[in-house]
Amino acid sequence: MKPKTGPVRACGLMAALCANLLAACVTQVPYERPPAPVAATFPNGVAASGSKTAVQIDWQDYFNDARLKTLIDAALRNNRDLRLAALNIEQARAQAQIRRADLYPSVGIGLSGTRTPTGPGSASTLYSAGFSVTGWEADFFGRLASLKDSALAQYLASENSRQAAHISLVGAVVNAYLNLLADEELLSLTRQTLLTREDSYRLTRLRFDNGASSEIDLRQAESLSEGARATLAQLQRQRALDENALVLLLGQPLPTGFDLPAAGSGSSAGAGVGALAQPLQPAPVMAELPAGLPSDLLANRPDIRAAEQQLLAAHANMGAARAAFFPRISLTGSLGLASSELSGLLQSGAFAFSAVAQALLPIFDAGRNQAGLEAAQASRDSAIAQYEKAIQVAFREVADALAGRATYGEQLRAQQAQADAEAVRLRLADLRYRNGVASYLDLLDAQRSLFAARQAVLLTRLAQLQNQVVLYKVLGGGWSQPARN
C-alpha cells in the first residue's frame, strides 16, 4: 500500500507556516514614536536671519575668551562625572556584545568519561574527546534578538547620556567662570564703596568733634561703613566658594598662571559718583541663536535621544517577554573520538557524533511568564512617560531661556539708567549737604541707593550672560567629538 505522503507534507508545511507566523507576531511588533506633548512652536522664538543653530556652533567658536577655553578643555579632560559617563559607555558596550554573542553557539573542546552499569558487578566505560556545543538556543521566536536589541539601545542611551553630560559640563564651567567675573566686579565696587564711606565717616567724625554735626549723623556714617565692610567679607567668602566650585568642575586645581581679568573695569574710581560703565567686561561674547522648532529638540538634545533609547530598550524587553510564551528550542552536540580506554582515546578512538535537540513549551509556570510580560509592559509605559517628560522639560528650558533673552536687555538698560540717575543724585546730595542745604540722612540714602543700583546692574548683566549660556546648552550646543590620542 502506497504511503499517504501528501497529508503528511501538508501538515508539515502548515506547522512550519504557523511557526513562522507566530515568530513574526513576536519579533515584529512595530515601534511607534510617541507624539511630542508640547506646542508646535516656542514662545519668543524669533531668530536673527542667517544665524547658525546651536548644534552647528562648536563651543570653541561660540566662546571667545582664551581663559575660558583653557578651563573648558581642562574640565573635559579631567572631570570625574564625565569620566564615569565614559566608563558607563564601555560597560554598556560590553553588555551589548554579550547579548549579541548569545545568538551564536559556543564551541569548546571537552573531555568526558561515562560509566554505565551493565549488570550485577559490571559496568561499561566510555571516554570521549572533541568539539562540543552545549545548550545553544535556536532563536526562532526572537527572544535573544530582542534582548540583543535592548542591550544595544542601552548602549546608545549611555552614549547619548555622555553627550548630555559633556554639554552640561561646558555650560557649568562657563557659568562658574562668569560667577567669578561677577565676584571680582562686586568686590571692586564694594571696596570703592567702603573707601567712600570711610572717608564720609572721617569727615563726619571731624564735624562732630567740632560741634558741626550731631552724634546721630556720626553713628549713621559709622553704620554704613561697617555695613560695607560686612558686605566685603561676605563677597570674599562667596568668591572663594565659587572658585572651589570651578575647581571641582575642572577635576584639578586652577591651571598654573591662571588669572582673571582685572576687576573694576565697569566701575568709576574715586568717591563712587558718576556714570557706571558696562560691567563684566571682558566677558564671553556669544552670538544670537535661533530657537527653531520643538521638533528639532528630538534630534538636537542628547538627553531626549537617551530617553528614547531607553524606551526602545523597554520595547525590546517586551518582545523578549512575549517570546517566553513560545517553545524554547536548544541544541546540544559533540563531534570527536570515543574509546573504552582512556589511554587509547587518541590512538585508537572511534569517530563519534551526537546531537540532541530539545523543544520546551511552557504549559504551567504559576503565572511567571504572564507576570514577566506585565512587568515589561509597565516598564515600557514608564519609559514612555519619562520620554515625554524629557521633551516637556526641554521645551520648558528653551522657553525660559527665550523669555530671558526677550526681557533681560530692557531690564539691564533700565537698571543702568537708574544707576546713572542715582550717581547724579549722590553728587547733588553731597553738594547740598556740604553747603548745609540738605540733611546728612539725604546723603546716606543716596549712597545706599547708588550702591544697591550698581549691584543690581552687575547681577542683571551676569544673569543675562548666563541666560545666553543656558540657551546655547538647552538648544543642544556645546558638544564636540573628543580628540582621540
Side-chain angles (χ1 to χ4, degrees):
M1 183 176 179
K2 185 176 180 181
K4 297 180 180 180
T5 58
V8 175
R9 290 180 179 177
C11 291
L13 291 175
M14 184 62 69
L17 179 60
C18 291
N20 289 332
L21 289 176
L22 289 173
C25 292
V26 175
T27 60
Q28 297 181 6
V29 177
Y31 166 76
E32 294 183 4
R33 173 183 287 175
V38 293
T41 58
F42 291 112
N44 304 309
V46 179
S49 60
S51 55
K52 293 183 178 180
T53 62
V55 295
Q56 294 173 331
I57 306 176
D58 197 81
W59 65 262
Q60 291 95 337
D61 301 323
Y62 191 66
F63 303 113
N64 66 337
D65 191 312
R67 297 179 183 85
L68 178 57
K69 290 181 181 180
T70 300
L71 295 177
I72 295 175
D73 183 67
L76 294 178
R77 285 185 285 105
N78 300 299
N79 182 266
R80 297 311 188 268
D81 290 333
L82 197 60
R83 188 175 298 177
L84 287 174
L87 294 174
N88 289 337
I89 293 177
E90 297 302 321
Q91 183 179 9
R93 180 187 291 116
Q95 290 295 332
Q97 182 61 33
I98 291 173
R99 287 302 184 184
R100 180 178 178 273
D102 289 340
L103 293 171
Y104 303 95
S106 297
V107 181
I109 298 177
L111 174 66
S112 63
T114 304
R115 187 172 179 84
T116 305
T118 59
S122 64
S124 64
T125 303
L126 180 66
Y127 298 97
S128 63
F131 298 97
S132 63
V133 175
T134 304
W136 171 59
E137 181 177 346
D139 193 33
F140 290 120
F141 299 100
R143 189 184 73 88
L144 297 180
S146 295
L147 293 176
K148 175 187 72 70
D149 293 341
S150 175
L152 178 61
Q154 293 284 357
Y155 161 65
L156 295 176
S158 65
E159 175 64 36
N160 285 313
S161 296
R162 179 181 181 274
Q163 294 182 15
H166 180 117
I167 290 174
S168 296
L169 179 60
V170 171
V173 171
V174 177
N175 282 332
Y177 178 73
L178 291 175
N179 283 333
L180 283 179
L181 289 180
D183 291 339
E184 291 293 331
E185 292 286 350
L186 288 170
L187 282 170
S188 177
L189 173 62
T190 304
R191 290 190 183 101
Q192 293 171 11
T193 301
L194 179 59
L195 289 176
T196 300
R197 292 181 179 181
E198 286 178 341
D199 290 342
S200 179
Y201 173 73
R202 284 192 293 269
L203 177 61
T204 305
R205 182 77 188 186
L206 181 63
R207 291 168 61 89
F208 173 76
D209 291 341
N210 288 278
S213 180
S214 66
E215 187 175 359
I216 292 179
D217 293 342
L218 176 64
R219 298 310 172 194
Q220 287 176 332
E222 182 182 10
S223 175
L224 278 184
S225 178
E226 295 300 327
R229 190 171 286 107
T231 301
L232 180 62
Q234 178 183 358
L235 290 174
Q236 288 172 336
R237 180 176 66 253
Q238 186 61 50
R239 201 260 185 219
L241 296 178
D242 289 339
E243 181 173 334
N244 294 338
L246 179 58
V247 169
L248 178 61
L249 290 173
L250 298 184
Q252 66 172 42
L254 289 176
T256 303
F258 175 81
D259 191 18
L260 289 172
S265 59
S267 304
S268 56
V273 296
L276 181 65
Q278 187 74 288
L280 280 179
Q281 297 293 339
V285 177
M286 293 164 276
E288 289 293 326
L289 296 171
L293 298 174
S295 57
D296 297 333
L297 295 178
L298 303 184
N300 296 339
R301 288 275 297 246
D303 57 333
I304 295 179
R305 297 199 303 269
E308 186 172 17
Q309 291 297 333
Q310 294 288 357
L311 173 56
L312 286 168
H315 184 80
N317 286 333
M318 195 167 63
R322 284 196 183 99
F325 287 90
F326 297 92
R328 184 174 299 183
I329 301 172
S330 60
L331 175 65
T332 299
S334 63
L335 176 65
L337 299 175
S339 174
S340 59
E341 298 292 336
L342 180 60
S343 59
L345 179 62
L346 299 180
Q347 289 81 10
S348 59
F351 175 77
F353 168 80
S354 68
V356 179
Q358 182 183 29
L360 178 62
L361 176 64
I363 297 177
F364 175 76
D365 60 0
R368 179 181 290 106
N369 287 339
Q370 182 62 35
L373 178 59
E374 292 174 358
Q377 290 173 336
S379 178
R380 191 272 313 270
D381 294 341
S382 176
I384 291 176
Q386 291 174 354
Y387 172 67
E388 291 175 340
K389 182 180 178 181
I391 297 176
Q392 291 176 334
V393 169
F395 182 92
R396 187 263 174 93
E397 289 174 345
V398 175
D400 287 350
L402 292 174
R405 185 174 71 177
T407 56
Y408 273 124
E410 176 60 24
Q411 180 182 351
L412 181 62
R413 185 207 61 77
Q415 288 184 333
Q416 181 70 65
Q418 180 185 15
D420 293 341
E422 291 294 345
V424 175
R425 176 192 171 199
L426 174 60
R427 185 172 66 249
L428 295 176
D430 183 67
L431 181 63
R432 288 167 58 84
Y433 174 73
R434 291 177 185 274
N435 287 276
V437 179
S439 67
Y440 189 66
L441 183 62
D442 294 335
L443 177 62
L444 295 181
D445 183 66
Q447 289 179 345
R448 283 194 297 263
S449 297
L450 178 59
F451 183 49
R454 286 181 167 176
Q455 285 182 314
V457 171
L458 283 167
L459 294 177
T460 302
R461 177 59 176 158
L462 171 64
Q464 184 187 42
L465 289 172
Q466 290 183 331
N467 185 75
Q468 289 178 265
V469 177
V470 169
L471 181 60
Y472 176 63
K473 181 184 72 172
V474 298
L475 289 176
W479 163 252
S480 61
Q481 185 66 33
R484 297 185 182 275
N485 297 328

